[in-house]
Amino acid sequence: MEQIVKEYTNGEVTIVWRPDLCMHVMYCWKELPEVFNPQKRPWVNAQGATTERIIQQVKRCPSGALSYYMNDEKDEKKAEECQVTVEAMYNGPLVVNGHVCVKRDNKEEINSNGAAFCRCSKSGNQPYCDGSHAEHPFE
């Protein structure tokens, strides 16, 4: 399946949208409707706010469906090393390696070695995997 990638620019910054990653949390259009408006086509108006405000909002996208790059740096893009890697294990947890901060019950837990998150919804230690998927197979 071909992945759609759309770009919208104000000349200084380019907003990159990958709709297949969107979780519809709605931070973008509820917090910056001058730029993000799903009722309009195109739904992104890169002229609707300052570059700084657009960057601030795009950084709040929890799914990565929205990202950005500065136009004057596009040709200077360097391969970035991943600070965190995420792997969906077959019929198992979502394994995150790298420095991660996990918020649970309004308390911040820091796990510098990574974490394994439950995907089967049967763990007794949510959001972490406790191996319950072995008794409750899923795909």
Side-chain angles (χ1 to χ4, degrees):
M1 178 167 75
E2 183 181 342
Q3 293 182 346
I4 297 170
V5 177
K6 298 211 175 200
E7 296 187 351
Y8 308 88
T9 188
N10 66 5
E12 189 174 17
V13 66
T14 296
I15 302 162
V16 180
W17 179 48
R18 292 178 171 87
D20 59 313
L21 297 178
C22 187
M23 298 180 339
H24 305 287
V25 176
M26 303 181 288
Y27 290 163
C28 55
W29 66 268
K30 287 201 173 193
E31 296 175 2
L32 193 60
E34 305 87 354
V35 174
F36 304 101
N37 186 337
Q39 303 301 317
K40 294 186 178 180
R41 295 294 178 261
W43 81 284
V44 177
N45 172 16
Q47 307 295 328
T50 65
T51 294
E52 293 77 21
R53 183 64 184 97
I54 289 170
I55 291 170
Q56 179 184 24
Q57 191 63 48
V58 167
K59 285 181 175 180
R60 289 202 19 86
C61 179
S63 68
L66 290 172
S67 61
Y68 74 93
Y69 62 84
M70 300 304 294
N71 293 354
D72 61 354
E73 296 173 0
K74 182 177 182 181
D75 295 331
E76 299 172 17
K77 276 189 178 179
K78 297 176 182 170
E80 296 179 8
E81 287 188 33
C82 291
Q83 299 298 314
V84 176
T85 58
V86 180
E87 181 179 2
M89 303 301 292
Y90 179 75
N91 288 338
L94 190 65
V95 177
V96 179
N97 290 300
H99 184 82
V100 293
C101 298
V102 179
K103 289 186 179 184
R104 182 170 74 167
D105 299 327
N106 295 322
K107 296 177 184 174
E108 188 171 275
E109 299 178 17
I110 299 175
N111 184 335
S112 63
N113 295 323
F117 294 106
C118 176
R119 291 195 306 143
C120 73
S121 76
K122 303 297 182 190
S123 174
N125 189 28
Q126 291 290 344
Y128 302 101
C129 175
D130 67 1
S132 294
H133 59 272
E135 296 175 22
H136 305 281
F138 73 102
E139 289 188 34

